Amino acid sequence: MKMKRFGKRIFSILCAAALLTLNSCGSAEPLRDTFFSMDTVITVSLDAGTPDAEAVLAHVREETERLRLIFDAHDPASELSRRNAGEAMDPSEEFRALESEAFLWAAKTGGAFDPTLLPLRELWEAAEKRGSVPTGTELSGTLALCGWEKAATDARPRLRLDFGGIAKGRVTEELVRLLSETSGAGWGVVSVGGNVGVFGEKPDGKPFSVALRDPQNTSGTLGTISAQNGDVIAVSGNYERFYEIGGERYGHISDPQTGLPADSGLCSVAVICRDGALADLLSTALFVMGTERGLELYRAEGAVFEAIFISPDTVTVTPGLGSRFELTGNYTLRVAD
Ligand code: AMP
Ligand code: MG
């Protein structure tokens, strides 16, 4: 079991690593630090001329550890785990902010993003372990324990939270902020699982170029997005993480209506936005909602994010990305209006 988890981790690491390629950033190789935290691999790349780079990178690791102790669902000592275990506690400001953002957008996405699905995740993890998919009775019984809308009643303390679809984006954004405000680096890139954040300006003055993996040919890419200082790009896809049961793969992004893997016809979704937690939660939500409902949300919210919807034959981009996305793969490109 341990090996299997590790195997899956490695797979998602490769996916994340290939998510990003930089245009030439000048002659010197960037400084790079890679470590494991938040159940994924984190990579920090910095301008080679960064003063006192060792101390800067050590500071990034410390800050990551501080945030991990708030949000890491796999650590029973984290704030999130203690909250889920029903411990009476005074949450940190970071916890409170992420929790209210999660519930705000649960409402705005009509529940496509639902931060209360921990019992459902545990059901699928147990199903994987025993080797058979959850029964209809198990799914409905488990969904009765979930539901963001129950927070409006006094049931909120009993809901158990899963920040797996949002916390990594917040960590990306926080590390980017720390580096851009304190490091003295001219530019840098932070990658946390499927989330990439950039800051500063490259010496050639060109925007950062972030390559998107082709979900149907995961050793290739399908296009590039140009990103600027402070942007976070989050990607959710059915090829990233999954439960393997009876030789079949079940995607880890659930449709909160059914408890089954989301099946909106999309292979993957990328969201670009300066609020990293929002980019992350929306990549998950839009994967559940599909292209048309996703575009409705985009219009209703007044273009506070940009998105790329990848279906088996078409790549649909929101209008704000029209000139910032370059298609290289074998898809039809549609710029939504
Ligand atoms: P991401 O890779 O950002 O799309 O996040 C996926 C993770 O979010 C899953 O592994 C679950 O922990 C959690 N998750 C799955 N489905 C949902 C959903 N509909 N709403 C919120 N979180 C979800
Ligand atoms: Mg997400």
Side-chain angles (χ1 to χ4, degrees), residues 113 164-166 195 234-236 253 277 279-285:
F113 180 82
I166 179 171
N195 302 268
V235 182
S236 289
I253 301 174
D280 192 2
L281 79 86
L282 282 175
S283 71
T284 311

Side-chain angles (χ1 to χ4, degrees), residues 112-115 117 121 162 164-166 235-236 240 252-256 280 283-284 288:
F113 180 82
D114 188 336
L117 298 182
R121 187 169 100 186
D162 179 4
I166 179 171
V235 182
S236 289
E240 279 181 345
H252 69 129
I253 301 174
S254 306
D255 182 338
D280 192 2
S283 71
T284 311
V288 175

Side-chain angles (χ1 to χ4, degrees), residues 61-99:
R61 286 196 182 209
E62 274 164 30
E63 176 66 357
T64 307
E65 180 60 8
R66 189 183 73 79
L67 295 167
R68 191 192 66 73
L69 285 170
I70 301 175
F71 299 128
D72 186 357
H74 297 272
D75 183 345
S78 74
E79 245 183 76
L80 177 64
S81 301
R82 285 164 44 218
R83 146 84 183 63
N84 281 334
E87 197 178 302
M89 55 189 286
D90 189 17
S92 62
E93 215 170 283
E94 287 87 346
F95 187 93
R96 244 189 271 261
L98 197 70
E99 184 183 29

